[in-house]
Amino acid sequence: MTKKILKKNKIGMIILSRLTSTRLKNKAKEEINGLSLTEILILRLLKIADPKNICLATCNSSKNIFYKKLSKKHNLNFFIGSKKNVLKRIIGTAE
């Protein structure tokens, strides 16, 4: 039922993530039971939404291979945007 509501109302989901944190580097790659934190989030979102309604958005970085592989594995949309301007990244993803 939730998937139908999301599709009918054209609601999408954006996962904003980057690996260049200064406090805890690579936190999105940290694993629990063999799955990265980002992949756990993706799997939970896939229970309520179609992959085409989920976009993984990150910033320009040489570490984006991790995100590209995840988005390809789960058939998600993928967007690379501004490193400093998160709002610009969200708007670019929504377009």
Side-chain angles (χ1 to χ4, degrees), residues 42-59:
I42 290 169
L43 292 173
R44 294 186 81 181
L45 288 174
L46 287 172
K47 290 179 181 179
I48 62 166
D50 290 323
K52 64 182 178 183
N53 292 340
I54 302 171
C55 185
L56 183 54
T58 188
C59 61

Side-chain angles (χ1 to χ4, degrees), residues 13-53:
M13 298 173 192
I14 302 171
I15 301 171
L16 293 169
S17 185
R18 62 188 180 102
L19 295 173
T20 55
S21 173
T22 54
R23 290 178 284 165
L24 181 57
K25 295 192 185 299
N26 297 321
K27 65 182 168 192
K29 290 172 103 176
E30 290 291 321
E31 291 189 356
I32 298 174
N33 294 330
L35 294 173
S36 70
L37 295 175
T38 306
E39 191 161 13
I40 291 169
L41 176 61
I42 290 169
L43 292 173
R44 294 186 81 181
L45 288 174
L46 287 172
K47 290 179 181 179
I48 62 166
D50 290 323
K52 64 182 178 183
N53 292 340

Side-chain angles (χ1 to χ4, degrees), residues 63-93:
K63 298 179 179 185
N64 284 337
I65 295 168
F66 168 74
Y67 292 119
K68 287 179 185 177
K69 286 181 181 178
L70 272 180
S71 61
K72 189 173 184 177
K73 178 180 178 181
H74 297 287
N75 297 319
L76 305 178
N77 296 310
F78 182 69
F79 181 80
I80 298 174
S82 172
K83 184 175 184 176
K84 302 228 179 212
N85 192 335
V86 179
L87 181 59
K88 191 173 183 180
R89 198 178 332 150
I90 293 169
I91 292 169
T93 304

